[in-house]
Amino acid sequence: GFPGYARNLKGILRSKMAHYNDPASDDITRARSQLNEVSGVMMDNIDKVLERGNRLEDLHEKTTTLKDQGKQFNRQATSLKRHFCLKHAKMTFILIVIILVVLFFIVVAGCGGFSFPRCK
């Protein structure tokens, strides 16, 4: 009768109390655990995004530096090209003048002097 029913009720109550006192079966505790896990993953993701941002900043700085160095190299190469082109033009001019002077003296010698008595 009643004492058997009370014992049975006592066992049911004990198992229910154990179930609800167990942190694994508590919905709020489970939600907090999942929230902490998601929060940890999000913090890791934020750290990774910040690291990527820093790497992108570094890459941008290096790219800008390389671009500036490229422009400077181009200016120096153009300046050097002009320098050697001018030097080449000077040498060509001097060579032409020397050839003309030599030709003039050959003609003068062939014509018998500066009065050109043989070439008249």
Side-chain angles (χ1 to χ4, degrees):
F2 185 72
Y5 179 73
R7 234 179 295 161
N8 193 16
L9 182 62
K10 194 174 181 182
I12 292 173
L13 284 176
R14 209 176 259 142
S15 80
K16 290 294 181 184
M17 283 179 63
H19 172 71
Y20 286 111
N21 284 332
D22 182 16
S25 66
D26 185 13
D27 288 340
I28 292 175
T29 304
R30 226 175 324 164
R32 279 188 185 149
S33 173
Q34 289 174 350
L35 182 63
N36 287 338
E37 185 178 326
V38 169
S39 178
V41 170
M42 289 304 295
M43 293 298 265
D44 288 343
N45 288 343
I46 289 171
D47 287 342
K48 288 177 184 175
V49 166
L50 290 175
E51 285 176 24
R52 182 174 179 259
N54 289 339
R55 286 195 308 263
L56 286 175
E57 268 182 36
D58 291 344
L59 185 60
H60 177 67
E61 287 175 18
K62 289 177 183 177
T63 303
T64 303
T65 302
L66 191 58
K67 185 175 85 172
D68 292 342
Q69 288 174 347
K71 285 180 182 179
Q72 183 179 3
F73 174 79
N74 197 15
R75 280 192 302 268
Q76 288 174 344
T78 302
S79 175
L80 193 61
K81 181 180 172 184
R82 284 184 190 140
H83 170 75
F84 280 107
C85 189
L86 185 60
K87 191 173 184 177
H88 179 72
K90 285 179 187 177
M91 292 301 286
T92 303
F93 177 74
I94 291 170
L95 187 61
I96 289 172
V97 168
I98 290 172
I99 290 173
L100 288 176
V101 168
V102 168
L103 282 175
F104 175 74
F105 281 114
I106 290 173
V107 170
V108 168
C111 288
F114 284 107
S115 59
F116 300 104
R118 283 191 237 152
C119 294
K120 288 186 180 182

